[in-house]
Amino acid sequence: MAAAPPRHRRRSRALLFVTLVAALVTGLLLQPQAHRAEAAPTTFAHPGVTVSRAQLDFARSKVDAGAQPWKGAFDQMTASKYADLNRTPKPRATVECGSYSNPNYGCTDEREDAIAAYTDALAWYITRDDRYAKKSIQLMDAWSAVIKEHTNSNAPLQTGWAGSSWPKAAEIIKYTYTGTWANSGRFATMLRDVYLPKVIGGSNSNGNWELSMMEAAVGISVFLEDRTSYDKAMARFRTRTAAYVYLASDGDLPKTVPSQNLDTTDKIVNYWQGQSTFVTGLTQETCRDLTHTGYGISAISHVAETSRIQGQDLYGTDVGERLRQALGFQSKYQLGAAVPDWLCGGSLTLGLGPVTEVGYNALHNRLGIAMTNTQALTERNRPAGSNNLFVAWETLTHGDNPS
C-alpha cells in the first residue's frame, strides 16, 4: 500500500503534463485563427463592397476635372445600355439557367439588371443626378418584389454573378443617396433568403464558380452586416484561391480543396484541364481558356479589395501573391507571347476580359510591385468596360486610384 501514492502522483503528474501539452498545442492552433486575415470586421465599412467612398470620391473628382482615363471611362459607362434611364426591369419569380445558359429563363435579364443597378448607382454618385439613384432603386425593388429562387444546373453560378452586382449597387444607394429607399429592407431579405443560401456552401465545379460565389457571399455579408457568413465565405475563399493559382512554393502539385477528393496526381492533372507541368501563375482553368480564368482572377481581386476596405488587407498574404502571379502569367499570353509546347499543348484560347484594373491598382500602385505585363495589358484595354456578367467599369472605379 505504501507504493500506491507515488503511482497516483505519477499518474497525476503525467495527466497534468498531457493536459499542459494539449493546451499548448490547442493555443498554437487557435492563435492564427484569432488573427486570421479573413476575419469579419467588428464594424463594417459602408459603402464597402469592392469600391469605397474614398475611391468613389477620387473617381468623381477626376471625372469633374475632365481627367483621363476616368472621364473617358465615365463617358463609356453612361453611354452604355446599363445607364439607360428608360430601362425596364424584367424580374421573374424563378430564374432558370442551364449549362451555358441553356435554357435561359431570366438569366441574362437578371445579370444585366443587376449590373444596371450598379451602373446607375455609380452614375448617381458621380453626377448627383437623382434620376440615376431612382433608376437603381427601381431595378432593385422590381427584383426584390418578385424573385424566389434559381434553378437548373447553372443556378449556383448565376446566383454568384448576379449576387456580386446587387450588393455593390445597394451599398452605394443605401449609404450615399440623399433621398429615400423605402424597400431597402425587402431587398436585404431577398439577398438573405434567395441569394446567400445558394452561394455560401460553395461549389466543387471549376474554380471560377466558387470564387464568384464567394464574391457574392462576401458582398452580401457586408450589406447584411452578417459576420458569421462573412467569416465562412472568406475561409472558403482562401482555400479556393490557394487551389486555383499555383505557386512553386506549393510543391510538386497544386493545392486542392478537400471536399473535391483530388487525392492522386491523375485526378489533379485532369482537373487542371490535362496540364501536368505546373509553373507559378498558372491557374486551374488556364488550359480551358483565359475567359473563364479571367472570371476567377476577377473574383479574387474583388474579394481582396472588399476585405481591404473592411480593414483586413489580403494583398499582403498569399492571396496577393497568387493574384499578382496569375495576372502576370495570363497577361503575358494575352499580349501575344508565344505559347510553349509544355503549356496547354502549345495552344491557348485567349479572351482574358476587363479584369486587371483592381488587382493591378492594388499591387502595383499601392504596393509598388513591378507588373510589366499586367500594366501593358491594363493600359492597352482602357477604359475597361463590362463583361456583361459581373464585372463593370473598373477603370472608372479603380484605375490608378490611390484611395
Side-chain angles (χ1 to χ4, degrees), residues 33-55:
Q33 289 296 102
H35 299 91
R36 68 192 190 279
E38 71 268 18
T42 302
T43 303
F44 285 94
H46 302 290
V49 177
T50 309
V51 61
S52 67
R53 186 185 294 269
Q55 288 171 319

Side-chain angles (χ1 to χ4, degrees), residues 13-30:
R13 284 197 294 270
L15 180 60
L16 177 60
F17 178 77
V18 170
T19 302
L20 287 172
V21 170
L24 178 61
V25 171
T26 301
L28 289 172
L29 289 173
L30 289 177

Side-chain angles (χ1 to χ4, degrees), residues 78-161:
T78 52
S80 76
K81 63 182 178 180
Y82 297 114
D84 183 359
L85 290 170
N86 294 313
R87 183 182 188 87
T88 300
K90 298 177 181 178
R92 61 174 67 208
T94 300
V95 173
E96 182 181 355
C97 306
S99 182
Y100 294 96
S101 291
N102 183 23
N104 180 342
Y105 298 137
C107 315
T108 301
D109 292 337
E110 180 189 31
R111 293 193 306 264
E112 296 194 350
D113 277 351
I115 291 173
Y118 175 54
T119 300
D120 289 325
L122 286 174
W124 140 255
Y125 196 91
I126 290 172
T127 65
R128 293 302 196 266
D129 184 334
D130 269 21
R131 295 177 301 165
Y132 286 115
K134 290 175 180 176
K135 176 56 69 171
S136 183
I137 290 170
Q138 181 196 15
L139 291 162
M140 291 189 284
D141 283 355
W143 280 89
S144 69
V146 172
I147 190 167
K148 299 298 181 186
E149 63 178 348
H150 297 83
T151 63
N152 215 317
S153 58
N154 262 31
L157 182 60
Q158 170 72 18
T159 311
W161 283 340

Side-chain angles (χ1 to χ4, degrees), residues 51-375:
V51 61
S52 67
R53 186 185 294 269
Q55 288 171 319
L56 291 167
D57 286 340
F58 174 85
R60 185 178 185 224
S61 71
K62 291 298 185 182
V63 172
D64 286 348
Q68 299 298 353
W70 305 276
K71 180 60 165 64
F74 173 76
D75 291 343
Q76 174 198 44
M77 180 184 79
T78 52
S80 76
K81 63 182 178 180
Y82 297 114
D84 183 359
L85 290 170
N86 294 313
R87 183 182 188 87
T88 300
K90 298 177 181 178
R92 61 174 67 208
T94 300
V95 173
E96 182 181 355
C97 306
S99 182
Y100 294 96
S101 291
N102 183 23
N104 180 342
Y105 298 137
C107 315
T108 301
D109 292 337
E110 180 189 31
R111 293 193 306 264
E112 296 194 350
D113 277 351
I115 291 173
Y118 175 54
T119 300
D120 289 325
L122 286 174
W124 140 255
Y125 196 91
I126 290 172
T127 65
R128 293 302 196 266
D129 184 334
D130 269 21
R131 295 177 301 165
Y132 286 115
K134 290 175 180 176
K135 176 56 69 171
S136 183
I137 290 170
Q138 181 196 15
L139 291 162
M140 291 189 284
D141 283 355
W143 280 89
S144 69
V146 172
I147 190 167
K148 299 298 181 186
E149 63 178 348
H150 297 83
T151 63
N152 215 317
S153 58
N154 262 31
L157 182 60
Q158 170 72 18
T159 311
W161 283 340
S164 293
S165 297
W166 287 130
K168 289 193 291 188
E171 281 281 300
I172 293 172
I173 295 300
K174 182 174 181 179
Y175 291 100
T176 74
Y177 179 46
T178 50
T180 58
W181 181 15
N183 291 313
S184 63
R186 188 179 73 196
F187 184 83
T189 298
M190 175 191 78
L191 293 182
R192 182 181 295 108
D193 294 348
V194 179
Y195 289 83
L196 188 57
K198 202 75 173 181
V199 296
I200 193 68
S203 165
N204 287 326
S205 185
N206 283 300
N208 82 86
W209 279 50
E210 186 161 81
L211 289 167
S212 293
M213 291 163 70
M214 290 311 104
E215 178 185 343
V218 167
I220 290 168
S221 296
V222 170
F223 185 72
L224 298 178
E225 298 195 329
D226 182 340
R227 301 182 77 251
T228 300
S229 293
Y230 186 97
D231 284 350
K232 183 175 180 180
M234 275 292 186
R236 192 175 290 276
F237 165 77
R238 292 293 298 273
T239 299
R240 175 59 69 176
T241 299
Y244 193 70
V245 182
Y246 176 80
L247 299 178
S249 57
D250 294 337
D252 292 338
L253 295 171
K255 292 180 179 292
T256 62
V257 175
S259 60
Q260 293 190 261
N261 298 313
L262 300 174
D263 51 6
T264 68
T265 300
D266 286 347
K267 288 181 181 178
I268 292 171
V269 168
N270 182 62
Y271 186 58
W272 281 64
Q273 321 296 326
Q275 177 70 11
S276 57
T277 301
F278 301 102
V279 296
T280 293
L282 181 79
T283 80
Q284 181 257 315
E285 295 186 274
T286 299
C287 293
R288 181 187 185 187
D289 57 61
L290 295 197
T291 301
H292 286 87
T293 298
Y295 301 164
I297 290 173
S298 182
I300 292 170
S301 70
H302 292 164
V303 175
E305 194 71 358
T306 296
S307 180
R308 186 191 69 89
I309 294 166
Q310 298 305 326
Q312 299 286 356
D313 197 336
L314 293 178
Y315 291 115
T317 71
D318 78 296
V319 170
E321 180 62 9
R322 292 179 196 278
L323 177 59
R324 176 175 81 92
Q325 297 292 353
L327 281 168
F329 188 87
Q330 267 60 224
S331 293
K332 174 183 176 180
Y333 295 107
Q334 185 66 38
L335 286 166
V339 181
D341 291 340
W342 58 262
L343 177 60
C344 311
S347 176
L348 283 172
T349 302
L350 304 180
L352 189 60
V355 302
T356 63
E357 287 279 16
V358 176
Y360 170 71
N361 184 58
L363 296 163
H364 176 74
N365 293 328
R366 290 200 204 106
L367 299 183
I369 300 169
M371 300 175 71
T372 306
N373 289 322
T374 307
Q375 179 174 358

